[in-house]
Amino acid sequence: MTALADAPEAATDMGEIPSFEVTMRLERYDPDVENPQARWEEFTLTMHGTDRVLDALHKIKWDQDGSLAFRRSCAHGICGSDAMRINGKNRLACKTLLKDLDTSKPITVEPIKGLPVKKDLIVDMEPFFASYREVMPFLITTGNQPSAERLQSAEQRARFDDTTKCILCAACTTSCPVFWTDGQYFGPAAIVNAHRFIFDSRDEGGTQRLQILNDKEGVWRCRTTFNCSEACPRGIEVTKAIAEVKRAIVTRTF
Amino acid sequence: MQTHTYDVVIVGAGGAGMRAALESSGRARTAVVSKLYPTRSHTGAAQGGMCAALANVEEDNWEWHTFDTVKGGDYLVDQDAAEVMAKEAIDAVLDLERMGLPFNRTPEGKIDQRRFGGHTRNHGEAPVRRSCYAADRTGHMILQTLYQQCVKQDVEFFNEFYVFDVILTGDPATDDDVRAAGVVAYELATGEIHVIRAKSIVFATGGAGKVYKTTSNAHTLTGDGMAVAYRRGIPLEDMEFFQFHPTGLAGLGILLSEAARGEGAILRNAAGERFMERYAPTIKDLAPRDIVARSMANEVREGRGAGPNKDYVLLDLTHLEPAHIDAKLPDITEFARTYLGVEPYTEPVPVYPTAHYAMGGIPTNITTQVLRNNTDVVPGLFAAGEVACVSVHGSNRLGTNSLLDINVFGKRAGIAAAEYAATAELVELPEAPQADIEAELVRIRAGAGTENVAAIRKALQESMDLNAQVFRTEDSLIQALKDITALRDRYGRVGVSDRGTSYNTELVEAIELGFLIDLAEVVVVGALARKESRGGHFREDFPDRDDAEFMLHTMAYPTQPGDGVADSTVRLDYKPVVVTRYQPMERKY
């Protein structure tokens, strides 16, 4: 029996995990003080083996400094609220286990880059969602609605599966060096969401979207640095999706 | 303070709120007010599917679905509402497909369907394939699809606005002309108060899982809509019925979909035994959630739990093909790897029940109008989704019926709210409608309070986990009520360290905690008075269902201490269950 054989092993994995000390080094910013300036602040905590960066932030907020501001909701990598720059890389705080980081050194946490910082780890998400809205991220069809469902083969459905996983956390877009220097660039997330419809067999708006993305702030700004693919907490092959959109612009006739 | 005026204001931007918005924004001037960006809503965490008798893969019909819903809810379901839901389920799924939802497909290209707990063919004969799904991300796809459509329709959102009060023209208990006039919202970015007037108000704020410590719910699920309505004298229905989802990741509570068992996964105890064979011989691991959760807790209680502390059981997927797991259950297997370091291809996953869903909520009729007592509605006030109690879930919700509920009744709410607004006049606002909540915010933000929000919340959640979870007794519930009373007293002295106005998330956590305390008390008082066991409410001192005394919905009203149930601020009443074609029977699976 699998369960019998594996239970003790799972037990050791799940058993008493020693606690450890960790220093969190956070970038703080309080807009309510005179001449607000970003500054670093360190907190030392005792944490446990299965704790995530989000648990550490909560521990600071709940036990040490209630004014620490960050967004979070689902706490298991689905809602996309808590993208942050953790040790220099964009990740979700709720999906990053402390034990997977080097806890012998302070763990740095900063807001994601390229969007205006509002307070501590909270940034203004409006420019990000504005780019998303510009690519017409919704199914476009013509003619009457069918009386039952539209048919779609499993293969057609699989064609755009990867890009349906996006949770709009902005980890990809705010890891992109082009986006950092040019806030007008649509950014990877918007292109991913365009891809999701361009390659959906039911959609008839591909041409319009490709025209939008053929813009000077569109897909051609991408320099294929792969930061976005590395940053995506959903494992979407973002750079590949962008490349497929580029190819579609070249090969599809307008 | 700012004042805004709309025809329809929808509070909450999850599945129910956005589904309502899609109906009402085309018919009436509509705003959606949400504490989160819409795509952060917890609808996105739903996994397994949405049931509808499409009969795409095998024989099925909506009447069987109605029956399963009624039986699954242990006969506390209002059967007229369940019939509406099961009938309209088919169009609800087709609506989503037409909006672009990427369902998994059959070889013929139709929407694929799979098995789910409690959903059967021909009144319990065998499991049926009724759940329409998109891998184990159905909720994510619903949330994204509805948001996409809202973008398309240019729906107006107030994001990160917390609705902390509802404005009524009188006392719902005594005033027969009471009407809804608007809501009071707190803008997180600035700390500013907004009064939003509207002819119709739709509450779609979701659940209250954070009354418990171990929960699949988001940190933000603090029952705001329920508590706001309740404080103004609107009753809450059937709040003692809380669903504990069987398969939360042990120690964490993160949800692992029932779809795992729908695809063939098996629950085992430490000895490797498939223990559900003893508790539900016909449908075994696919019994309804209340039964599976209790069976699991019982295995642990009787010493057959796994792990170093024998405090969980195991979800075994190791006999499933890895390719099948990847295709059908990619997210939940990743959760097991990420959070517990367990590889589900080869190791069973430690699981234990986790607080998941409030069957109860703001009472409504089948057109989603809010009831202020057993019969009368509050004109202009609507509710849909988990915040509401129609009641389609009775004392135990079947898996997938929540995604269905938000779509069917969210749509109904949007239409009803817009239609009401088309004929109604705007109601005059009472004087200074923001005064109460402003005073509360000032008390907490600027006061000298020394009690810590997180400490009170932790104590509340721990007491609820210990005393009002899967198994309950009179003693445990009295203990919970004592704890809540003491915590309410401490809450009166709560303070925050953040005195700022921008993004003061500590302040909103303090307000949310006040909601949780009120709701926990309603749960516990309802549970104390219900001296029977039914669905999600199990009393060890009254282990049987008692239809003679308790085939009734609980209606809880706020009152002064001493005027209601002893040692509480709750007054209880009861409301008959709507029975149409299914007489109560013993519930066996």
Side-chain angles (χ1 to χ4, degrees), chain A residues 6 32 71 73 95 150 202, chain B residues 100 160 220 334 346 502:
Chain A
D6 284 357
D32 291 342
R71 292 192 178 100
S73 188
K95 232 184 151 175
R150 289 188 175 79
R202 301 168 295 174
Chain B
E160 299 187 328
T220 43
E334 195 198 317
T346 54
S502 307

Side-chain angles (χ1 to χ4, degrees), chain B residues 63-102:
Chain B
E63 190 272 321
W64 295 351
H65 188 181
T66 309
F67 171 78
D68 289 338
T69 300
V70 170
K71 181 181 172 188
D74 218 349
Y75 295 91
L76 202 71
V77 171
D78 285 330
Q79 297 182 11
D80 55 343
E83 193 171 309
V84 162
M85 185 171 77
K87 255 192 216 170
E88 295 182 8
I90 294 161
D91 274 341
V93 167
L94 296 178
D95 280 352
L96 289 170
E97 197 285 328
R98 293 183 200 120
M99 290 178 197
L101 197 140

Side-chain angles (χ1 to χ4, degrees), chain B residues 300-438:
Chain B
V300 165
R301 213 157 59 148
E302 294 183 354
R304 294 187 292 277
N309 303 319
K310 296 177 175 293
D311 57 356
Y312 54 78
V313 300
L314 298 164
L315 183 68
D316 184 2
L317 291 82
T318 59
H319 54 288
L320 303 178
E321 281 296 318
H324 183 74
I325 292 176
D326 290 348
K328 300 294 178 75
L329 307 165
D331 277 2
I332 61 166
T333 43
E334 195 198 317
F335 295 154
R337 289 180 198 118
T338 303
Y339 296 112
L340 291 184
V342 170
E343 174 46 66
Y345 295 158
T346 54
E347 299 167 78
V349 183
V351 290
Y352 197 72
T354 181
H356 186 55
Y357 188 87
M359 267 73 75
I362 300 173
T364 72
N365 61 20
I366 56 175
T367 48
T368 73
Q369 293 171 288
V370 170
L371 294 164
R372 63 185 174 88
N373 53 38
N374 286 3
T375 49
D376 300 315
V377 301
V378 180
L381 193 58
F382 305 83
E386 191 173 345
V387 70
C389 182
V390 186
S391 147
V392 284
H393 307 306
S395 60
N396 172 62
R397 176 175 68 73
L398 288 189
T400 76
N401 272 356
S402 57
L403 289 180
L404 183 54
D405 178 0
I406 60 178
N407 277 285
V408 167
F409 292 100
K411 180 177 182 177
R412 281 178 161 250
I415 294 170
E419 283 180 351
Y420 177 80
T423 55
E425 296 291 318
L426 263 182
V427 179
E428 275 305 304
L429 287 176
E431 202 173 323
Q434 80 289 0
D436 287 357
I437 198 66
E438 242 172 22

